[in-house]
């Protein structure tokens, strides 16, 4: 999946519907977010959707810094992962 995400065109990397489908099929959703266009990394609903399918943790670090600071995103992160480690990672980033 990593190689496939690397070779996607810019158009597909910015296509929210396509990338949301990729999130649902990905073994590692963080790679999908990593490959997403800068616009999608700023899209709160896309990041929240990604967090809903992520089992590995710390996917939020691939999101735009302003989205990382969003209260809804932080609440989703803190309730899903190890709260203290995640908060420290967000602060460091």
């Amino acid at each position: 999946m990593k190689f496939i995400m690397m070779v996607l065109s810019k158009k597909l990397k910015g296509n929210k519907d396509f990338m949301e489908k990729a999130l649902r099929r990905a073994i590692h959703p963080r790679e999908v977010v990593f490959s997403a266009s800068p616009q999608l990394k700023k899209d709160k609903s896309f990041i929240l959707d990604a967090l809903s399918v992520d089992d590995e943790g710390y996917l939020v670090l691939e999101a735009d810094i302003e989205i990382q600071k969003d209260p809804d995103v932080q609440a989703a992160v803190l309730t899903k992962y190890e709260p203290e480690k995640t908060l420290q990672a967000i602060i460091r980033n």
Side-chain angles (χ1 to χ4, degrees), residues 1-10 12-13 35:
M1 181 70 146
K2 191 173 197 172
F3 176 74
I4 293 170
M5 296 310 297
M6 287 173 37
V7 297
L8 286 177
S9 71
K10 286 183 181 182
L12 285 177
K13 289 180 181 183
S35 299

Side-chain angles (χ1 to χ4, degrees), residues 12-89:
L12 285 177
K13 289 180 181 183
N15 182 307
K16 188 174 179 178
D17 290 334
F18 176 84
M19 294 300 278
E20 285 177 339
K21 287 176 185 171
L23 280 172
R24 295 203 178 349
R25 291 184 171 94
I27 295 170
H28 305 288
R30 185 174 182 178
E31 292 176 9
V32 176
V33 177
F34 178 80
S35 299
S37 70
Q39 292 77 17
L40 279 182
K41 290 180 182 182
K42 293 178 182 181
D43 186 306
K44 180 178 168 178
S45 67
F46 176 73
I47 296 302
L48 288 172
D49 195 32
L51 287 169
S52 73
V53 297
D54 182 39
D55 292 329
E56 297 176 303
Y58 310 112
L59 173 149
V60 73
L61 297 177
E62 302 300 340
D64 180 80
I65 190 70
E66 293 305 314
I67 290 298
Q68 292 180 30
K69 294 177 183 178
D70 182 277
D72 295 331
V73 171
Q74 287 186 354
V77 167
L78 294 175
T79 56
K80 184 158 184 143
Y81 310 122
E82 299 175 64
E84 192 58 37
K85 288 183 181 179
T86 302
L87 186 58
Q88 289 172 4

